[in-house]
Amino acid sequence: MKLLLVVLGFISLSLGVLGIFFPVLPTTPFLLLSAFLFARSSTKLYSWLLCHRHFGPYIKDFLEHKSIPLHVKIISISMLWVSILLSVYFVEILFVRILLVLIAIGVTLHILSFKTKK
């Protein structure tokens, strides 16, 4: 089980790194997921991630303040809705369209539920 969590942690970390270069992928949630998975599987990997000079500050800042900077909220929600609306436009199945919009609403509300970091 620990090996599976480590593998999933590295997959999540890889997606987080890709999110740095591709704005469609969110960086911080994938890094937080990696931290969660590493904390459950390997204290060494968890410590490495928290002490990493590029990834550590993202994770530590969120864990300490439980807040998201305003510009990150704006970019995240904007990119979310652009990608969802494009998907809705290209998908022809009504159920999938409705599901995508409901997911976008849920994620938007979740992002907005965090305090805004000043």
Side-chain angles (χ1 to χ4, degrees):
M1 187 63 168
K2 287 188 178 195
L3 179 62
L4 176 63
L5 293 176
V6 168
V7 169
L8 291 174
F10 276 112
I11 291 171
S12 178
L13 180 61
S14 300
L15 291 171
V17 170
L18 284 174
I20 294 170
F21 303 103
F22 299 106
V24 175
L25 290 171
T27 300
T28 306
F30 285 119
L31 294 179
L32 291 172
L33 178 59
S34 296
F36 173 81
L37 293 168
F38 288 157
R40 302 292 182 270
S41 60
S42 169
T43 54
K44 184 177 180 180
L45 288 173
Y46 180 70
S47 296
W48 168 80
L49 189 59
L50 287 181
C51 294
H52 193 277
R53 68 182 180 130
H54 296 296
F55 308 135
Y58 279 106
I59 298 165
K60 287 178 186 174
D61 188 49
F62 185 81
L63 292 175
E64 288 175 16
H65 303 290
K66 299 282 192 235
S67 63
I68 302 172
L70 180 60
H71 74 280
V72 172
K73 282 185 175 184
I74 292 169
I75 291 169
S76 300
I77 293 171
S78 300
M79 292 305 298
L80 167 73
W81 280 98
V82 166
S83 20
I84 290 292
L85 292 176
L86 280 172
S87 298
V88 165
Y89 178 76
F90 288 112
V91 171
E92 296 181 12
I93 304 168
L94 180 62
F95 171 74
V96 175
R97 286 179 169 182
I98 292 170
L99 184 62
L100 287 170
V101 171
L102 290 175
I103 290 170
I105 290 169
V107 172
T108 299
L109 292 174
H110 181 68
I111 291 171
L112 293 176
S113 71
F114 289 102
K115 295 184 290 186
T116 302
K117 184 177 177 185
K118 299 183 188 233

